[in-house]
Amino acid sequence: MIPPLFWALLLLGAERPTGRAQTPAPPGIPVFLPSFIHMSGPMVSSYLVGNSTEVFLSINIIHMNTETGILPLLKCSESNRSGEWHLNGPEPYDVYMNASKVTITLMKNLQLCSSNATDCCMKPLCVVETLQVSACRGSTMLANLLIQAEIYANSSFTGNVSENATHIPNQVYQPLGSCPCNLTAGTCDVRCCCDLECTPDMKQLFSGSCFAGIFGGNVNLPFEQLCSVQTTNSAPDWFPFLCVQSPLNNTPFLGYFYHGSVSPSQVSSFKIPLQTVPETPSSGYKQGDPIMTMENEYFIIRQKSMAGQCIGNAPVAFLQNFDVKCVTSLSAYKEGLSHNVLINSGTKGTIQQNVIYSNVTDVRNFITKPEDIQPTEVLCVNVTFAEHYMFIWKGKTIEEINVTVLLGELCDGEILTQRFAVNFVSFNSTSTAELSGNPGYQVGKPVRAVNISSSDTVTTLKLWQPVGRGLCTSATFTPVLFGLNSLSGCILEVDINEDCSQLREDVTARLNSLIQATHVGKRGNSSYGDLNDLVEIIRLDPSNLNANTSVGNLKGICSDIPANLNIRIITADVGAVEGISQEEILGVQISFQINYTEYDCNRNEICWPQLFYPLTRYYTGEPYSQCLAKGLVLAFFFLLAAVLSNPCSKILKT
């Protein structure tokens, strides 16, 4: 699951500093982030940010006044249990942000009651409660966390899972699995209508979205020789007289299945001697094998190590592209391997590099000049600015190598950013578009995607890659990589008077801009023009976005904001090619998570409703009548002090 997180933070005022703080945050009044949570599972977490010294927490089940909509005022009392709820924390989480983690857990059995049991759920909507977690120091309440819990019972489990071994039928006489989408034992798999664990009530929830084809249980597909099949394309005129009358379970494809080869596992040992002399390839390269020269040496190009440093003796691996930048100066500059070196094709054939040299006209992308450089004569040398290698490969061999070298002058005192790129292109490929595997996906390669309803070329799913201050307006994009879970986001600046309906539309549009594709490729070499190679993206769009919902008449509070976009990709191991497992994508689902957004005055330079605390109604620490009385008494003392001051006394004497 690849869930990209979207933070909708409401910011207003002067420019804020960028970068990450290097010292712990200064002590201040703690706050809960987030301060409102809609809870649908048995556990949820929040973070207490600020000075939490001598702060204790308490949890209470509260009941809102349905007539006034006002929550009851609670007193500070240290307690970590309330009914069936348990509070754990605060636990130190980030010393730089001065943040602590708070976890709330429901200690209740969420199974539906099957008999007269009491420790279970009597109805599907098991828990509907409102919780308030308070942070107090002494008798002073500092911050509150409001939780709306709506938790449904776990009704999919029908009984204990049997430990008996599963009988696998002989694939020669009957299909291996009559219901391939039944992936979980003892549990109803969603959208799998052939799953026997699914009750009729459960199937009614997804009856219109059942998996089709073989994966959905239709393992005996009609074949074109059947008399019942009325073919419409290129059907011969004698077809009705020479057809086959046969049941579907007697298909001619029965018995045809793939025999996958499994490579034996090798036990690693520290006694294996280190190979000092590389082996000369004679039967071709495999993916990841180092490319060799005709002198039986590694073909090396500057690359980055695991630590992020550039090394000059790194061998180039077969079918592994890279694009790196290395920083150097004239004193530390070193020439790489000569372009006259002959390359081993993989079968002891000789490959000569086709090199094209060109001079760089605009050096601003490569050269950084220091500000304190003296305008005197300095030493300048013609060096390599960039090298781009294109390897044309076919099967297990290299057919051709094309190299483009960019040259320019590097002077003493200047900083050079060199670029080295390697790209492998198939001999039969009509373009330089990179595949993500052949045939299965490779871990770390982009997920192939396409929008079949638009002429725009969409080749991948995207995530945000924030730069600078992390704003959404300046964020760039990075592709979703196969097999790697990712979490990204950006900050959206919103005004306190922002219209909530317009905010929902803007946030939804920004999230939809990440997923402009309608289908993804099943395999790493899927063709965009063949629908059989594609999987449709299932979109669960947010509902009621146009509803004009608001929280009273307060400004800066918007509910039902689709602030999170979750991308869930289901993959499976479908076999092996030469002992290497091949993975495919079975389905992709996109869903939105609705958040509660509130304008936080503590994150902005000026918040006018708080400027006249405690006289305004925005202050909720005490009843308004008491705040007004104390404010008038304070104003009276100020007026009395002004009257009795020295200038006023002189005016009265005169």
Side-chain angles (χ1 to χ4, degrees):
M1 180 175 66
I2 311 174
L5 181 60
F6 185 100
W7 296 288
L9 302 181
L10 307 176
L11 306 176
L12 182 67
E15 183 178 359
R16 282 156 292 279
T18 60
R20 180 171 178 173
Q22 299 299 321
T23 57
I29 299 177
V31 295
F32 284 102
L33 294 179
S35 59
F36 178 87
I37 298 177
H38 185 274
M39 185 176 182
S40 59
M43 180 181 294
V44 73
S45 298
S46 182
Y47 297 92
L48 185 64
V49 181
N51 184 13
S52 58
T53 305
E54 298 181 356
V55 171
F56 61 87
L57 302 179
S58 63
I59 183 172
N60 294 280
I61 301 175
I62 60 176
H63 303 280
M64 181 184 297
N65 191 329
T66 57
E67 296 181 357
T68 62
I70 300 177
L71 298 175
L73 294 177
L74 302 178
K75 297 182 180 180
C76 291
S77 59
E78 185 174 2
S79 63
N80 60 353
R81 294 293 297 268
S82 179
E84 296 178 325
W85 297 94
H86 178 72
L87 174 65
N88 186 21
E91 300 176 352
Y93 180 75
D94 192 334
V95 296
Y96 289 97
M97 298 295 295
N98 202 5
S100 302
K101 186 176 181 180
V102 179
T103 304
I104 298 91
T105 307
L106 175 63
M107 312 298 293
K108 179 181 177 64
N109 184 12
L110 295 178
Q111 298 296 333
L112 275 176
C113 295
S114 57
S115 58
N116 296 328
T118 57
D119 187 19
C120 55
C121 297
M122 303 300 297
K123 52 185 179 180
L125 186 56
C126 187
V127 178
V128 181
E129 292 179 338
T130 303
L131 308 175
Q132 180 174 324
V133 180
S134 303
C136 301
R137 183 182 287 121
S139 60
T140 303
M141 186 174 297
L142 303 177
N144 289 320
L145 168 62
L146 194 63
I147 301 175
Q148 180 63 48
E150 294 182 1
I151 305 175
Y152 285 83
N154 297 333
S155 59
S156 60
F157 187 75
T158 59
N160 295 327
V161 178
S162 175
E163 297 182 355
N164 296 331
T166 302
H167 174 69
I168 299 178
N170 192 342
Q171 302 178 63
V172 177
Y173 304 104
Q174 57 181 325
L176 175 62
S178 59
C179 187
C181 59
N182 184 9
L183 303 177
T184 308
T187 303
C188 174
D189 292 273
V190 179
R191 298 183 61 196
C192 186
C193 294
C194 61
D195 192 346
L196 298 179
E197 284 90 9
C198 296
T199 63
D201 294 337
M202 296 178 185
K203 292 182 180 179
Q204 190 176 3
L205 298 175
F206 50 82
S207 59
S209 303
C210 296
F211 289 114
I214 296 177
F215 186 71
N218 189 12
V219 294
N220 294 321
L221 298 176
F223 47 95
E224 61 180 4
Q225 292 83 4
L226 281 177
C227 297
S228 59
V229 175
Q230 301 294 329
T231 58
T232 57
N233 297 327
S234 64
D237 53 358
W238 44 262
F239 175 76
F241 303 99
L242 296 177
C243 57
V244 177
Q245 292 285 358
S246 174
L248 291 179
N249 56 6
N250 190 21
T251 170
F253 302 105
L254 191 61
Y256 286 86
F257 52 89
Y258 179 73
H259 287 279
S261 61
V262 180
S263 60
S265 59
Q266 298 180 356
V267 180
S268 59
S269 174
F270 292 102
K271 298 180 180 180
I272 298 178
L274 180 63
Q275 183 178 358
T276 57
V277 179
E279 182 180 355
T280 303
S282 57
S283 59
Y285 295 106
K286 292 190 300 183
Q287 182 183 359
D289 288 349
I291 296 178
M292 307 298 296
T293 65
M294 294 305 297
E295 287 77 16
N296 199 24
E297 295 180 353
Y298 293 126
F299 179 64
I300 58 176
I301 299 176
R302 298 201 72 180
Q303 301 178 46
K304 281 191 176 181
S305 64
M306 298 284 293
Q309 297 177 339
C310 286
I311 54 179
N313 57 348
V316 178
F318 186 65
L319 295 183
Q320 291 188 0
N321 302 339
F322 63 85
D323 189 347
V324 300
K325 294 181 179 180
C326 298
V327 179
T328 185
S329 61
L330 184 59
S331 59
Y333 176 81
K334 293 182 180 180
E335 285 288 347
L337 196 63
S338 173
H339 296 105
N340 297 325
V341 174
L342 300 178
I343 308 300
N344 190 332
S345 64
T347 56
K348 297 185 178 181
T350 302
I351 301 296
Q352 176 67 48
Q353 303 179 49
N354 302 322
V355 186
I356 299 177
Y357 295 93
S358 61
N359 293 323
V360 178
T361 56
D362 188 3
V363 300
R364 290 177 296 179
N365 295 331
F366 299 93
I367 296 295
T368 302
K369 297 183 178 181
E371 298 179 357
D372 56 350
I373 188 172
Q374 300 296 330
T376 58
E377 294 185 0
V378 294
L379 176 63
C380 296
V381 180
N382 197 35
V383 298
T384 300
F385 279 21
E387 292 182 352
H388 183 271
Y389 292 82
M390 180 180 294
F391 289 80
I392 311 298
W393 63 277
K394 181 179 180 181
K396 298 182 179 181
T397 62
I398 299 174
E399 299 293 329
E400 186 180 350
I401 301 177
N402 298 323
V403 186
T404 302
V405 181
L406 301 181
L407 303 175
E409 278 194 348
L410 175 63
C411 299
D412 193 13
E414 296 178 341
I415 303 300
L416 171 62
T417 302
Q418 290 180 295
R419 180 177 178 180
F420 300 91
V422 170
N423 188 24
F424 286 87
V425 179
S426 175
F427 181 80
N428 299 323
S429 177
T430 58
S431 63
T432 59
E434 180 183 358
L435 299 179
S436 297
N438 187 21
Y441 273 100
Q442 299 177 16
V443 177
K445 291 291 186 178
V447 175
R448 296 172 62 83
V450 65
N451 189 343
I452 63 174
S453 60
S454 175
S455 58
D456 297 336
T457 303
V458 180
T459 58
T460 184
L461 310 179
K462 295 182 292 186
L463 300 174
W464 275 304
Q465 188 175 18
V467 295
R469 296 168 54 195
L471 300 179
C472 297
T473 54
S474 60
T476 57
F477 299 101
T478 182
V480 175
L481 303 181
F482 181 83
L484 300 179
N485 295 338
S486 302
L487 180 69
S488 69
C490 61
I491 299 175
L492 178 65
E493 288 186 317
V494 183
D495 190 80
I496 189 174
N497 297 317
E498 189 79 21
D499 181 73
C500 291
S501 299
Q502 185 63 37
L503 177 61
R504 296 186 194 100
E505 295 179 1
D506 294 344
V507 172
T508 304
R510 290 183 181 273
L511 292 175
N512 285 330
S513 65
L514 299 175
I515 313 296
Q516 299 180 6
T518 58
H519 294 71
V520 298
K522 292 182 181 179
R523 295 173 291 275
N525 63 346
S526 296
S527 173
Y528 292 138
D530 189 358
L531 288 178
N532 295 326
D533 282 355
L534 303 177
V535 176
E536 185 177 0
I537 298 177
I538 302 174
R539 290 179 175 267
L540 303 179
D541 294 326
S543 58
N544 299 329
L545 287 182
N546 296 326
N548 188 16
T549 58
S550 59
V551 184
N553 57 353
L554 299 180
K555 295 182 180 180
I557 298 179
C558 292
S559 60
D560 298 336
I561 301 298
N564 294 350
L565 175 66
N566 301 322
I567 307 175
R568 184 184 182 188
I569 301 179
I570 303 176
T571 63
D573 190 343
V574 296
V577 176
E578 296 183 359
I580 301 176
S581 61
Q582 304 294 316
E583 295 198 31
E584 292 185 4
I585 293 179
L586 302 181
V588 178
Q589 184 187 73
I590 297 174
S591 61
F592 294 83
Q593 181 177 340
I594 307 302
N595 277 9
Y596 177 89
T597 304
E598 180 179 358
Y599 189 87
D600 190 355
C601 294
N602 295 327
R603 298 187 181 181
N604 299 273
E605 302 297 333
I606 298 176
C607 191
W608 296 107
Q610 290 188 353
L611 185 61
F612 296 99
Y613 268 18
L615 300 181
T616 62
R617 293 185 179 272
Y618 289 92
Y619 177 67
T620 58
E622 295 176 324
Y624 180 71
S625 58
Q626 297 183 13
C627 296
L628 184 61
K630 294 178 181 179
L632 293 177
V633 172
L634 185 62
F636 172 75
F637 280 117
F638 274 112
L639 181 62
L640 182 63
V643 172
L644 298 179
S645 62
N646 192 24
C648 293
S649 300
K650 292 182 179 180
I651 295 175
L652 293 176
K653 289 180 180 180
T654 57

